[in-house]
Amino acid sequence: MMKSFRIVRAGLAFTAIMAALPADARVLDPAKPEDAVEVMKRAQCGPKDGTPAVYHWSGRIYSRVEGEPDRLLLAGEGMNIRQCVTVTDAKRGAGYRQVSREVMIFTDPKTGEIVRNWTNPWTGETVEVMHIANDPVNVPAAFPYGADGKPFRPGFRRMGPWLAMPMEVPLFYNNVLAGDYQDYVGGKYHAMEIFDFIAPAAEILDTRNPTAHPSISWVRISDWMPWMKMRGRQGQLVFNAVGTKLNSFDELPALLKDEIAARYPAYTQAPPTDDARPNETTWTAFRKWIDQRRQQQERRPAE
């Protein structure tokens, strides 16, 4: 009798749990283009349209110069705050658009303190540091099918209990700090950004979870930061960082939150979902930054 009672009680409890689940709850199949886009949205975005998501990362920055050992130059703490909105296209299907802004603060790898001025180890010159603050950093809309009708194939990899989402972004474009003849004499911005997201498959594929919280590895191989004032010196920077999606802005490290409050207050919120501004980069931001300082110097009265 007691055994039968326990079976009935268990059955009622299961029925109650199932009744509480969303009617459309299901397990996503990354092999299907529609589900693959939904998986990407769950990795990148908040639990629903217009709800912000915050990524935090922490890492180190090395030099890579031919003929000499790599040097640890700086460390860094960064964040990106974004939100997404559903978009639809008659031919490409239902997808999403992501808008964001991001900050990365350069720190001393030994003390963890924010670096305001940096002594260039090659030239001996002390320069003012321009921290990364790009607004906006928006992403084109992602759809299950391309304009040519080809299905979205992001290359997700199931690895035991994990779903890995590798993404390589080769960059090669005109450097806004150079002239109009870059195809002939060089000066292109040449970099590679590598984003490797990984999430528990049970979390990211099960829509009973409103969103997912992947971990991320981020590597960037790029030219020198323009504020380093390298004057064309051969070499590159290698950024290596790890991070994760947080539950909220409040979970960011105090160093980042304090710096944002003091210097970048707009970065507590994502841009509006209809943001149509061109993206900011380190190079476009630096041009504005250096032009502003030159104007300030020109306005100073002669001594």
Side-chain angles (χ1 to χ4, degrees), residues 16 59 77 84 103 115 127 142 171 199 207 237 245 247 262:
E77 295 286 336
C84 298
V103 167
V115 178
V127 295
L171 299 171
T207 63
L237 293 176
K245 187 202 283 187
N247 290 311

Side-chain angles (χ1 to χ4, degrees), residues 246-264:
L246 305 178
N247 290 311
S248 71
F249 181 90
D250 291 337
E251 292 185 349
L252 286 169
L255 177 142
L256 263 178
K257 288 192 293 185
D258 291 347
E259 188 71 0
I260 289 170
R263 298 173 183 265
Y264 312 101

Side-chain angles (χ1 to χ4, degrees), residues 24 29 35 50 66 123 135 140 149 192-193 252 255 274 287 293:
D24 59 349
D29 179 0
D35 284 4
E66 186 176 350
T123 67
D135 177 24
M192 168 77 80
E193 300 220 28
L252 286 169
L255 177 142
D274 61 353
R287 185 168 66 177
R293 275 152 180 75

Side-chain angles (χ1 to χ4, degrees), residues 220-247:
R220 181 168 96 167
I221 303 167
S222 74
D223 296 336
W224 305 110
M225 292 289 96
W227 53 263
M228 291 179 168
K229 211 170 181 181
M230 284 295 191
R231 296 183 173 89
R233 179 178 293 272
Q234 183 272 328
Q236 294 177 309
L237 293 176
V238 179
F239 293 68
N240 183 41
V242 293
T244 190
K245 187 202 283 187
L246 305 178
N247 290 311

Side-chain angles (χ1 to χ4, degrees), residues 50-183:
T51 302
V54 178
Y55 266 94
H56 165 242
W57 63 89
S58 180
R60 293 184 288 188
I61 300 106
Y62 291 83
S63 66
R64 169 59 58 89
V65 176
E66 186 176 350
E68 69 174 53
D70 298 342
R71 304 189 195 196
L72 174 58
L73 301 179
L74 297 159
E77 295 286 336
M79 61 80 68
N80 177 290
I81 186 164
R82 77 277 298 273
Q83 63 178 334
C84 298
V85 62
T86 300
V87 292
T88 58
D89 182 90
K91 293 183 178 180
R92 303 179 68 182
Y96 71 96
R97 180 174 186 257
Q98 174 185 314
V99 295
S100 76
R101 48 174 63 106
E102 63 189 18
V103 167
M104 183 170 176
I105 305 301
F106 295 106
T107 61
D108 186 299
K110 293 182 179 179
T111 67
E113 296 178 351
I114 296 174
V115 178
R116 305 293 183 191
N117 295 287
W118 181 75
T119 300
N120 186 316
W122 291 275
T123 67
E125 184 176 4
T126 298
V127 295
E128 184 180 359
V129 174
M130 187 198 81
H131 300 279
I132 295 173
N134 294 335
D135 177 24
V137 184
N138 298 337
V139 179
F143 293 100
Y145 299 92
D148 57 2
K150 292 182 178 179
F152 179 57
R153 303 290 188 198
F156 297 153
R157 300 172 190 170
R158 184 68 182 263
M159 307 176 74
W162 305 98
L163 185 71
M165 296 164 277
M167 185 188 309
E168 298 86 26
V169 183
L171 299 171
F172 190 74
Y173 55 78
N174 282 354
N175 188 329
V176 298
L177 300 180
D180 296 329
Y181 306 95
Q182 295 175 57
D183 284 341

